Amino acid sequence: SVVYGNHRIDQQETIAASLKRDLQSNYPNCTISVGAIAASSWGPENIRAFINRFGLFNPDSVFIIQSSHDVVDYPTHQKNLFPYRTSSPKLAIIDAGIGLAEYFEKKSPKHQVVTLSFEERRDLSEGALRAVLTMSRKATHFTAHENSKATLIFHPTLSQLLNASDEIGTTAKQFYQEVAMENGVNFINGAEAYAKSRSAPEAIYEDNIHPSAEGAKTIAEIINAHIPQSLFDECNS
């Protein structure tokens, strides 16, 4: 939801939209495409599932943004029950009846959700993240540009940014840095990068975790600074 915007900013103010504008301004003769694999509440497992199904669309560079809560962000699955309709209802009253039936069905013992332990969610989330990094690294490795590479970005919460000794933030940063190194991708510590930006810490966030429009622009500028200019030499000459 950090990349997606969490319904708090306009889609033209997201990180991806801001990055595309910046790149297009810097390289006007190039055709720029910036895609975002993101949705509200998505974690590493959701991203892995998307990539497994749709791929990465032959990228020159890939940036993966993760927060401290993503360390244990693994979805809880319900059996055979969807939070949305798979077909159009014939009548509103029929749809209401289906919704009521599903409500009581969710309460039945056979549909009780088994909650995973902290350790289980952490291990599953880490496995998904490592898979995402591997797929991203391989996707950028086989591009025509030698300098392209995948990058993992740690996005701290506002409270973690304001308190450098925050234990959760420090542990998450160290974890992501180690995972990035072990999987052969670059690493950006958002806490350091945000502190060096022109924006005040409070201005970067809409709440404790999600970026404001100014924050999304700041993150886009940080990503832009880490994209090799050589990627655009041919089209911008």
Side-chain angles (χ1 to χ4, degrees):
S1 57
V2 171
V3 175
Y4 173 66
N6 195 41
H7 313 294
R8 296 175 181 271
I9 59 177
D10 188 85
Q11 286 299 293
Q12 292 303 312
E13 298 173 329
T14 62
I15 297 171
S18 296
L19 179 59
K20 181 175 181 179
R21 282 195 298 272
D22 290 347
L23 290 171
Q24 200 67 74
S25 176
N26 292 341
Y27 310 103
N29 297 326
C30 299
T31 301
I32 306 294
S33 295
V34 178
I37 301 177
S40 183
S41 298
W42 270 24
E45 176 62 20
N46 303 98
I47 299 172
R48 175 169 68 171
F50 181 97
I51 297 174
N52 283 338
R53 182 172 181 180
F54 299 106
L56 282 168
F57 309 102
N58 300 318
D60 290 311
S61 292
V62 177
F63 291 82
I64 304 98
I65 300 176
Q66 297 284 278
S67 300
S68 56
H69 68 274
D70 288 314
V71 173
V72 292
D73 191 353
Y74 191 83
T76 301
H77 300 281
Q78 291 185 329
K79 298 178 181 178
N80 303 319
L81 290 174
F82 295 93
Y84 52 83
R85 295 287 177 260
T86 57
S87 60
S88 300
K90 295 181 180 180
L91 293 171
I93 191 170
I94 295 177
D95 187 59
I98 293 174
L100 187 62
E102 288 180 348
Y103 172 80
F104 286 108
E105 188 176 1
K106 290 179 182 178
K107 299 294 183 181
S108 68
K110 68 176 182 178
H111 284 300
Q112 291 301 304
V113 176
V114 178
T115 304
L116 299 175
S117 68
F118 176 90
E119 291 75 15
E120 289 173 320
R121 288 184 288 118
R122 179 197 61 200
D123 293 345
L124 289 168
S125 183
E126 179 180 342
L129 176 60
R130 289 181 180 275
V132 168
L133 296 179
T134 297
M135 289 185 284
S136 300
R137 176 174 51 80
K138 290 181 177 179
T140 56
H141 176 72
F142 289 107
T143 62
H145 306 282
E146 295 181 359
N147 292 327
S148 60
K149 197 174 185 181
T151 300
L152 176 61
I153 301 175
F154 168 55
H155 171 74
T157 63
L158 175 58
S159 56
Q160 291 165 359
L161 182 61
L162 295 175
N163 180 13
S165 60
D166 182 274
E167 184 177 357
I168 294 177
T170 301
T171 302
K173 189 268 292 182
Q174 292 174 345
F175 166 74
Y176 287 128
Q177 191 169 14
E178 292 172 0
V179 170
M181 181 178 65
E182 292 169 4
N183 287 271
V185 303
N186 295 323
F187 175 74
I188 297 175
N189 179 9
E192 294 180 356
Y194 300 169
K196 295 177 182 178
S197 71
R198 293 169 295 179
S199 301
E202 293 81 358
I204 294 176
Y205 294 82
E206 187 71 28
D207 51 26
N208 191 47
I209 181 68
H210 301 98
S212 61
E214 182 176 340
K217 181 174 176 54
T218 297
I219 297 172
E221 291 173 350
I222 292 169
I223 293 175
N224 191 358
H226 286 80
I227 297 177
Q229 295 184 7
S230 58
L231 294 179
F232 309 97
D233 287 345
E234 184 176 344
C235 62
N236 205 51
S237 58

